[in-house]
């Protein structure tokens, strides 16, 4: 498919063409694509500043956060995959720093090749009022549609056939550059938020990069012995994923922890429940916790006025951290 075709297709049609990953992995057609928390940052906690560094691995820009005593003390290697805000988001960098503070050597790659969701214009020019007039309601509706279309265009530029090769290049470099950390953990650990959650699942599956073009099903390709590969990560952890299908979950072969939001249209209950059921049937170790009364994206480090959300954010981090440390 030509790049110009990708750029003009809605993500749901694009997802149909890339369904050869871990089986029929089309995102749920009824689910929304991405929300505000996936594409914009909330306020950064006051006084916090990132301590890691921007570097390049295999020509891919990455943010690297190291424990204070590395390399004198051994560390596990954690691949952190962000939501649409990308590696230059202060909040995402602070999130990586938090894991580094817990003893992980964190590599956070630029999945979007310099084109994060924050680079797109989603400004709503019409102010929301308590009782807008009919004309204002129409204007708000037009702005909402335009915003949704812009996000869809961005999603169409960042599909598995574009993102997975970037991640595989970074993983190849990690195995050379940080071989000590990979060896210490017995492999690479992966954690993904929002957009990045799906790619943790794909990297934890046996069939991925070679079939992302979607020309044939993963099953038919694998039967020919062309694309079967071991998972690229040892352990996975995800929070409030987007664009995830039940097949994406079912295809995961590595121990998995799931942070989910109650009644989340971006990661619907029926999709999650069907995928988790299949994981258990396949004998994959899995834990899940559904958090009520929190917004999608709540687990990404940021400042909320609501103290309850702040507590749930800490709880979610503890869940993911405990899983990564315990496996």
């Amino acid at each position: 498919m030509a790049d110009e075709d990708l750029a003009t297709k809605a993500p749901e049609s694009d997802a149909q063409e890339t369904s050869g990953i871990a089986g029929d992995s089309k995102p749920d057609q009824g689910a929304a694509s991405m929300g505000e928390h996936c594409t914009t940052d909330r306020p950064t906690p006051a006084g916090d500043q990132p301590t890691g560094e921007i570097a390049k691995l295999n020509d891919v820009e990455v943010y690297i956060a190291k424990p204070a005593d590395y390399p004198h003390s051994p560390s596990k290697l954690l691949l952190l995959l962000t939501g649409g805000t990308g590696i230059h988001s202060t909040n995402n960098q602070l999130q990586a720093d938090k894991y580094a503070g817990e003893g992980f050597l964190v590599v956070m790659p630029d999945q979007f090749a310099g084109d994060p969701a924050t680079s797109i214009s989603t400004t709503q020019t019409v102010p929301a009022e308590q009782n807008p007039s009919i004309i204002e309601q129409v204007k708000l509706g037009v702005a909402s549609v335009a915003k949704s279309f812009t996000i869809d265009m961005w999603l169409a530029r960042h599909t598995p056939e574009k993102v997975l090769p970037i991640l595989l290049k970074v993983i190849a470099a990690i195995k050379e550059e940080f071989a000590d950390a990979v060896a210490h953990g017995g492999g690479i650990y992966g954690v993904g938020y929002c957009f990045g959650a799906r790619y943790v699942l794909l990297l934890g599956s046996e069939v991925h990069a070679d079939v992302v073009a979607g020309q044939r099903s993963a099953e038919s390709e694998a039967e020919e012995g062309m694309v079967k590969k071991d998972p690229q990560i040892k352990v996975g952890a995800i929070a409030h994923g987007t664009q995830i299908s039940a097949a994406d979950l079912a295809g995961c072969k590595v121990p998995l922890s799931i942070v989910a939001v109650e009644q989340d249209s971006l990661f619907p209950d029926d999709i999650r429940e069907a995928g988790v059921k299949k994981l258990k049937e396949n004998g994959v170790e899995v834990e899940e916790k559904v958090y009520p009364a929190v917004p999608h994206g709540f687990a990404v480090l940021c400042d909320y006025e609501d103290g309850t959300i702040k507590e749930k954010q800490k709880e979610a981090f503890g869940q993911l951290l405990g899983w990564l440390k315990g496996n």
Side-chain angles (χ1 to χ4, degrees), residues 36-100:
E36 192 72 23
H37 284 77
C38 306
T39 57
T40 57
D41 272 332
R42 290 190 57 79
T44 300
D48 289 353
Q49 292 294 327
T51 57
E53 61 178 358
I54 297 290
K56 281 196 173 182
L57 292 178
N58 218 349
D59 294 325
V60 177
E61 197 171 40
V62 298
Y63 179 83
I64 299 175
K66 300 176 182 178
D69 53 357
Y70 177 83
H72 304 294
S73 297
S75 299
K76 292 180 179 179
L77 194 293
L78 179 63
L79 183 73
L80 193 160
L81 304 183
T82 72
T85 49
I87 69 168
H88 291 282
S89 155
T90 299
N91 289 348
N92 290 337
Q93 292 179 358
L94 291 172
Q95 190 87 59
D97 292 349
K98 282 195 70 173
Y99 285 108

